[in-house]
Amino acid sequence: MESTRVDRWLWAVRMTKTRSDAAAACRGGHVRVNDRPAKAATSVSAGDEVRLRAHGLTKVVEVTRVIQKRVGAPEAAMCFIDRTPKPPPEALMPVARRDRGAGRPTKRDRRVLDKFRNNE
């Protein structure tokens, strides 16, 4: 059975931009293989579950094919099955934000905020 390092696989299937980014994610505790914290040298093989937390999102994928070299995006997408759960509907709603130091909201700003809050 074929296996490779998790940092190399994450880079090869384009889940991280560079291999050093994948290794840094492993060092930071953002990568888990089969629900165990993974170091960069942890082996992955077909059938393993890999969790990667990057950019505020957690991706859960199942390894279907092990590759050593970086390949094109369509071919890389065939190397894993995305099992990431759908985000809750509340997470999809935009959040009203004001620039820091913008002062008190104007009457028009308050009307827009009230309209936004009442349409939930």
Side-chain angles (χ1 to χ4, degrees):
M1 182 173 244
E2 195 177 346
S3 66
T4 188
R5 293 169 57 109
V6 70
D7 64 336
R8 188 174 203 178
W9 186 81
L10 288 171
W11 166 75
V13 296
R14 297 176 173 265
M15 292 187 81
T16 59
K17 197 167 189 168
T18 64
R19 186 168 169 192
S20 61
D21 285 347
C26 291
R27 274 193 309 274
H30 301 294
V31 178
R32 296 178 76 82
V33 176
N34 296 328
D35 282 332
R36 289 195 202 124
K39 293 183 179 180
T42 302
S43 294
V44 292
S45 55
D48 287 346
E49 179 188 77
V50 178
R51 290 178 179 265
L52 171 68
R53 193 171 70 236
H55 310 295
L57 300 172
T58 301
K59 294 210 40 126
V60 181
V61 296
E62 180 184 333
V63 179
T64 57
R65 198 171 89 196
V66 176
I67 57 175
Q68 304 280 334
K69 302 282 185 185
R70 195 167 172 97
V71 294
E75 191 175 338
M78 294 170 36
C79 295
F80 62 89
I81 300 171
D82 193 358
R83 303 229 189 263
T84 306
K86 300 279 185 204
E90 307 89 47
L92 299 175
M93 291 183 58
V95 178
R97 296 213 185 261
R98 291 182 44 83
D99 292 333
R100 189 176 173 104
R104 287 179 56 178
T106 63
K107 191 171 189 176
R108 181 173 179 254
D109 292 339
R110 285 196 309 273
R111 286 183 183 145
V112 170
L113 286 170
D114 288 343
K115 183 178 177 184
F116 176 75
R117 288 181 184 140
N118 291 334
N119 283 339
E120 293 179 2

